[in-house]
Amino acid sequence: MQQRDDGGGTEAQAKDVCLRLLTDRARSRHELETNLAKKGFTAEIADAVLDRLEKAKLVDDESFAQQWVQSRHKYSGKGKRALSMELRNKGVSNELAVNALDLIDSEDERQRAAELVRKRFRTLHLPDPDGPDARAERDKVVRKLVGMLARRGYSQGMAFAVVKEQLDRAGADTEDFDGPDSM
């Protein structure tokens, strides 16, 4: 172990910081490096500590990426595009991110989008199909639902398809519904 350095702390202190952070959840190497830098640890001390933690399998970007993708897709309803951005922000390499995102196939993503729409659909009011502003009101509901999916990282095409499917199930008139180009 190194003694206190001009940079802010010893390896033991840096290790303690990392272990405390890892008790909350798995973290990428980049996240830990960033945290150590904010606390004033030198790059040399951070690298030494993180190399030892990687050797001990406590820091593993591949495993982190897989866990992150599974958890955020299942519990937060994130689509692949949003997950990809989150992994990039966490400093995960493009190769590891792509491999982790491959764990979610397009059918899984579509099913999760449909669950989100069904859940949100319960709180929305569909207009009377015979009402004077039925189409405008329906289009407003569509924009809300598609927007919700877009913010969570689902493609526009998938979002419109899932929303149309739910509208059909609810008995809404979708005969004139052409998807994104009709808005």
Side-chain angles (χ1 to χ4, degrees), residues 113-141:
E115 288 172 25
L116 292 168
V117 169
R118 277 192 300 275
K119 184 177 178 183
R120 180 73 194 273
F121 206 73
R122 291 190 295 249
T123 65
L124 297 174
H125 173 68
L126 270 182
D128 176 10
D130 299 326
D133 295 331
R135 182 174 180 181
E137 291 298 315
R138 182 213 56 202
D139 288 350
K140 193 185 304 183
V141 169

Side-chain angles (χ1 to χ4, degrees), residues 4 25 34 61 78 81 96 102 104 142-143 166 176:
R4 185 156 187 93
R25 64 168 173 84
T34 302
D61 279 359
K78 298 288 184 171
R81 192 173 64 227
L96 293 178
D102 284 345
I104 300 172
V142 168
R143 281 191 299 276
Q166 289 304 310
D176 62 343

Side-chain angles (χ1 to χ4, degrees), residues 1 10-20 36 41 49 52-53:
M1 297 278 172
T10 65
E11 284 185 24
Q13 291 168 327
K15 181 178 139 195
D16 287 344
V17 168
C18 290
L19 292 176
R20 267 195 309 274
L36 290 174
F41 291 95
V49 168
R52 282 208 326 267
L53 291 175

Side-chain angles (χ1 to χ4, degrees), residues 18-160:
C18 290
L19 292 176
R20 267 195 309 274
L21 290 169
L22 290 169
T23 59
D24 294 336
R25 64 168 173 84
R27 297 189 189 258
S28 68
R29 182 181 175 111
H30 176 74
E31 285 181 285
L32 294 171
E33 281 174 341
T34 302
N35 255 293
L36 290 174
K38 282 180 187 174
K39 293 194 180 288
F41 291 95
T42 64
E44 295 80 26
I45 287 178
D47 284 340
V49 168
L50 293 172
D51 288 345
R52 282 208 326 267
L53 291 175
E54 278 183 340
K55 233 181 235 177
K57 305 268 189 249
L58 293 173
V59 176
D60 179 355
D61 279 359
E62 182 177 11
S63 176
F64 166 78
Q66 291 171 358
Q67 289 173 23
W68 187 265
V69 165
Q70 292 292 345
S71 173
R72 299 286 287 169
H73 178 67
K74 182 176 182 177
Y75 298 110
S76 297
K78 298 288 184 171
K80 282 185 167 184
R81 192 173 64 227
L83 291 168
S84 175
M85 287 176 36
E86 288 179 357
L87 289 174
R88 187 177 22 242
N89 291 338
K90 302 260 178 227
V92 174
S93 75
N94 192 47
E95 179 185 348
L96 293 178
V98 167
N99 290 341
L101 291 167
D102 284 345
L103 297 173
I104 300 172
D105 64 25
S106 59
E107 188 54 35
D108 287 338
E109 192 173 29
R110 185 181 180 89
Q111 285 177 357
R112 187 63 177 117
E115 288 172 25
L116 292 168
V117 169
R118 277 192 300 275
K119 184 177 178 183
R120 180 73 194 273
F121 206 73
R122 291 190 295 249
T123 65
L124 297 174
H125 173 68
L126 270 182
D128 176 10
D130 299 326
D133 295 331
R135 182 174 180 181
E137 291 298 315
R138 182 213 56 202
D139 288 350
K140 193 185 304 183
V141 169
V142 168
R143 281 191 299 276
K144 283 181 183 179
L145 293 171
V146 169
M148 181 254 317
L149 290 176
R151 285 187 298 279
R152 290 182 180 203
Y154 292 91
S155 72
Q156 186 179 31
M158 179 184 291
F160 273 99

